[in-house]
C-alpha cells in the first residue's frame, strides 16, 4: 500500500462517493476524493434537495386558497417572486456544500477540486495533479439526456431549471418520468400555464398502473395540460419563446421547453477505456453484486452503475463497499423492496412490487384499494383524492407491494418499507392499531379484497 498515494481514491463527491470515503477513512484507510463541480452531487446540488424546496414553494398558492375555508383571510392578493426563491435556494445549497466538505475534512479525507480522469487502473489525473491509489471508486453519478432533434439546443434540462433568471408564463415539460411530473407540478403551482408532453401511453412507466392513472387524473385537475402520446419533432425559436413542432404535425408556442426524458451515466471522458473498465451500451459501468468492476481494484456505486437511481441507494452501496473492502463487515447492497417517492402534486410513495410484477412473480394475488378525500380537504373546495393500494401474495399472505398517492405519501410509505422488509403479512397489518384520524391508518383498516367491476357484475 505504501507504494500508492492513497489506499482509496474516490472519483465523484456525491452522496455515494462521500459516504464511501468517510466510512473507509473511519476504517483506517488513507482516502482522497475529487469533484469537478460542488460536493453533494446531483441530489444536494441539482436534484432532490433544491427540487423539494421548489415543491414547498409551489404549494403555497393552494394553501392560501384552502386557508379561507378554515376562517383565515388574506389582506390583498399574495404575490410570488421567482428571484427570491432562487436566491434563498442557492444559499441553502451553499450551506450544504460546505457541510459536505467539512464532513470529509473532519474524517481526514483529502479533498481535491477537479474532474478525475483515469490514466490506468491505479492512476488518476485531477487537474494538474496526478495521484495513485490501490483501490479506486467511481461515483460520478448521471447527467440529463436530451434527444437528437432539430432545435434541441433551445430546450433546458432540470440542471438549468434551478438557475433560471425569469420564469415564463407558459412552460412545456417533455417527459413522463418522476422529474417531469415533479417539475410540471412545481411550475403549475407557481402560477404558470403548463403543458406536459409524453410519448408513451401513460406517465411514470414502471410504477403500478393504478398509481399512474390516479396521478394523471389529479395532475389534470390541477390544471396541467397533460398530453399523452405526443412528442416534439423539432423546436424553433420565436420572439418570446419556442415553437414546438409535434410529430403529429401540430404546433404550439411556449415560453420555455424543459426536457426530462431520462438520465445517463456521467462516464464520458472519464478514462474508463484507459483503465480497461467495461461499460454497457448505455455507458453505465458494469459491476457485480459487490459493486466491483471487471478490473479487480476498481469499484463503482450510484447512478453511474444505473442499478437504481436513488440517492439512498447510492449511500447504501457506498457504505457497503467501504465496509467490505476496508472494514470487517463484508456485505452486498440489498436492492430488494427499496422504497421510493415522487414529489408530484399530490405525491407518490411506493415500496415493493407493482400489481403487474406481483402477478408475474406469484400468480395468485389479493388486492386492497381505497380512494378517499383527505381530511384536510373535507372543508375546502379541492376535489383532490388520495389513493392507497396493498398487494398481497395470496399463498403466503405476505404484503409484497404498498402504494399511495396523496399528502404525506413519502412519510407514510417509509414506515411501510420496514414492514415489507420484515416480511409482514396482511394479517399483521390488520392486527395493527391505526392512528386516528390519519391517512396512514387506512393501510391497516383495508379489510375487503378488491374485486374487478366485471367480476362484481357477474356475481
Amino acid at each position: 500500500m505504501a507504494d500508492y498515494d492513497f489506499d482509496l481514491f474516490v472519483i465523484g463527491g456525491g452522496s455515494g462517493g462521500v459516504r464511501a470515503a468517510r466510512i473507509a477513512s473511519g476504517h483506517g484507510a488513507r482516502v482522497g476524493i475529487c469533484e469537478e463541480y460542488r460536493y453533494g452531487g446531483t441530489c444536494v446540488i441539482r436534484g432532490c434537495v433544491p427540487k423539494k424546496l421548489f415543491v414547498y414553494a409551489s404549494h403555497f398558492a393552494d394553501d392560501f386558497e384552502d386557508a379561507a375555508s378554515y376562517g383565515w383571510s388574506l389582506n390583498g392578493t399574495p404575490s410570488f417572486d421567482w428571484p427570491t426563491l432562487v436566491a434563498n435556494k442557492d444559499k441553502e445549497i451553499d450551506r450544504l456544500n460546505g457541510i459536505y466538505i467539512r464532513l470529509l475534512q473532519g474524517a481526514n479525507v483529502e479533498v481535491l477540486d477537479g474532474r478525475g480522469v483515469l490514466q490506468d487502473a491505479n492512476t488518476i489525473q485531477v487537474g494538474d495533479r496526478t495521484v495513485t491509489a490501490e483501490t479506486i471508486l467511481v461515483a460520478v453519478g448521471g447527467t440529463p439526456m436530451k434527444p437528437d432533434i432539430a432545435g434541441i439546443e433551445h430546450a433546458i434540462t432540470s440542471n438549468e431549471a434551478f438557475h433560471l433568471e425569469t420564469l415564463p408564463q407558459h412552460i412545456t415539460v417533455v417527459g413522463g418520468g418522476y422529474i417531469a411530473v415533479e417539475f410540471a407540478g412545481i411550475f403549475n403551482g407557481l402560477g404558470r400555464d403548463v403543458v406536459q408532453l409524453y410519448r408513451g401511453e401513460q406517465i411514470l412507466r414502471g410504477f403500478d398502473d393504478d398509481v399512474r392513472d390516479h396521478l394523471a387524473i389529479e395532475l389534470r385537475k390541477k390544471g396541467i395540460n397533460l398530453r399523452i402520446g405526443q412528442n416534439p419533432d423539432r423546436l424553433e425559436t420565436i420572439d418570446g419563446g419556442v415553437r414546438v413542432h409535434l410529430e403529429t404535425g401540430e404546433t404550439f408556442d411556449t415560453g420555455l421547453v424543459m426536457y426530462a426524458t431520462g438520465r445517463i451515466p456521467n462516464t464520458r471522458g472519464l478514462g474508463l477505456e484507459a483503465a480497461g473498465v467495461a461499460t454497457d451500451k448505455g455507458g453505465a459501468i458494469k459491476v457485480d453484486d459487490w459493486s466491483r468492476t471487471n478490473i479487480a481494484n476498481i469499484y463503482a456505486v450510484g447512478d453511474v452503475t444505473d442499478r437504481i437511481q436513488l440517492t439512498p441507494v447510492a449511500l447504501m452501496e457506498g457504505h457497503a463497499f467501504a465496509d467490505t473492502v476496508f472494514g470487517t463487515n463484508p456485505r452486498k447492497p440489498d436492492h430488494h423492496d427499496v422504497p421510493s417517492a415522487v414529489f408530484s402534486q399530490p405525491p407518490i410513495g411506493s415500496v415493493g412490487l407493482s400489481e403487474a410484477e406481483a402477478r408475474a412473480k406469484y400468480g395468485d394475488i389479493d388486492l386492497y384499494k381505497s380512494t378517499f378525500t383527505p381530511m384536510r380537504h373535507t372543508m375546502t373546495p379541492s376535489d383532490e383524492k388520495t389513493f392507497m393500494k396493498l398487494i398481497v401474495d395470496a399463498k403466503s399472505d405476505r404484503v409484497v407491494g404498498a402504494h399511495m398517492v396523496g399528502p404525506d405519501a413519502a412519510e407514510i410509505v417509509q414506515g411501510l418499507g420496514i414492514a415489507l422488509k420484515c416480511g409482514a403479512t396482511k394479517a399483521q397489518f390488520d392486527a395493527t392499531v391505526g392512528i386516528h384520524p390519519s391517512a396512514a391508518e387506512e393501510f391497516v383498516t383495508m379489510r375487503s379484497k378488491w374485486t374487478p367491476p366485471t367480476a362484481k357484475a357477474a356475481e
Side-chain angles (χ1 to χ4, degrees), residues 10-29:
V10 180
I11 304 176
S15 299
V18 169
R19 173 65 63 85
R22 293 175 59 208
I23 299 301
S25 182
H27 287 313

Side-chain angles (χ1 to χ4, degrees), residues 102-431:
R102 290 192 293 274
L103 285 172
L104 288 165
Q105 293 172 337
N108 296 315
V109 175
E110 185 172 342
V111 177
L112 284 70
D113 294 324
R115 181 170 177 79
V117 179
L118 292 167
Q119 305 298 300
D120 57 41
N122 296 99
T123 309
I124 310 98
Q125 186 75 31
V126 185
D128 296 330
R129 183 175 173 183
T130 301
V131 298
T132 59
E134 181 175 30
T135 301
I136 294 172
L137 176 67
V138 181
V140 295
T143 189
M145 175 183 65
K146 292 195 293 187
D148 183 17
I149 65 170
I152 192 63
E153 68 273 13
H154 306 310
I156 67 166
T157 69
S158 57
N159 284 358
E160 296 78 41
F162 292 116
H163 304 285
L164 293 170
E165 293 184 4
T166 59
L167 201 61
Q169 182 57 41
H170 193 287
I171 300 175
T172 298
V173 177
V174 183
Y178 71 95
I179 295 175
V181 299
E182 287 170 342
F183 270 95
I186 288 168
F187 295 142
N188 174 257
L190 296 178
R192 271 47 186 181
D193 301 319
V194 177
V195 172
Q196 182 178 352
L197 303 174
Y198 179 51
R199 64 182 180 181
E201 83 290 347
Q202 186 56 285
I203 56 173
L204 293 179
R205 180 171 58 88
F207 282 78
D208 184 87
D209 286 342
D210 283 333
V211 168
R212 301 167 71 192
D213 293 341
H214 186 88
L215 182 66
I217 291 170
E218 294 299 327
L219 294 182
R220 291 187 172 108
K221 285 183 187 177
K222 295 277 188 181
I224 294 171
N225 184 2
L226 177 58
R227 302 170 66 169
I228 301 301
Q230 297 190 22
N231 196 46
D233 177 64
R234 63 186 179 93
L235 306 177
E236 174 191 1
T237 56
I238 58 172
D239 289 341
V242 180
R243 179 160 293 157
V244 179
H245 295 256
L246 298 177
E247 292 175 347
T248 60
E250 179 188 351
T251 66
F252 66 89
D253 297 341
T254 185
L256 176 72
V257 177
M258 175 185 151
Y259 264 79
T261 50
R263 297 175 63 84
I264 57 175
N266 191 24
T267 51
R268 181 176 297 179
L270 198 59
L272 296 177
E273 301 85 354
V277 176
T279 59
D280 65 19
K281 62 181 181 180
I285 296 177
K286 295 181 179 180
V287 294
D288 63 16
D289 291 343
W290 299 91
S291 298
R292 188 197 297 263
T293 72
N294 62 304
I295 305 300
N297 69 301
I298 300 179
Y299 294 74
V301 298
D303 290 1
V304 75
T305 66
D306 199 22
R307 287 177 280 186
I308 299 179
Q309 294 186 14
L310 293 172
T311 295
V313 171
L315 290 168
M316 171 185 66
E317 292 170 353
H319 201 141
F321 154 79
D323 283 347
T324 298
V325 179
F326 298 100
T328 58
N329 181 29
R331 57 194 178 92
K332 301 176 184 178
D334 183 357
H335 296 95
H336 296 95
D337 290 332
V338 173
S340 64
V342 180
F343 293 102
S344 49
Q345 299 184 40
I348 294 171
S350 180
V351 62
L353 303 177
S354 68
E355 180 181 337
E357 291 169 335
R359 288 193 187 281
K361 183 171 183 178
Y362 297 106
D364 190 11
I365 61 173
D366 294 328
L367 301 177
Y368 299 83
K369 302 182 186 183
S370 180
T371 303
F372 57 93
T373 300
M375 186 174 181
R376 167 186 175 138
H377 290 311
T378 57
M379 287 174 39
T380 74
S382 173
D383 63 350
E384 180 181 301
K385 300 294 183 183
T386 288
F387 172 75
M388 292 181 174
K389 181 176 184 178
L390 288 177
I391 303 168
V392 179
D393 171 22
K395 183 177 180 180
S396 67
D397 195 45
R398 189 165 64 88
V399 178
V400 296
H403 309 277
M404 176 178 176
V405 185
D408 303 317
E411 312 296 338
I412 293 170
V413 171
Q414 176 68 83
L416 296 183
I418 301 172
L420 265 68
K421 204 70 174 175
C422 294
T425 63
K426 182 62 168 63
Q428 289 171 325
F429 269 60
D430 294 344

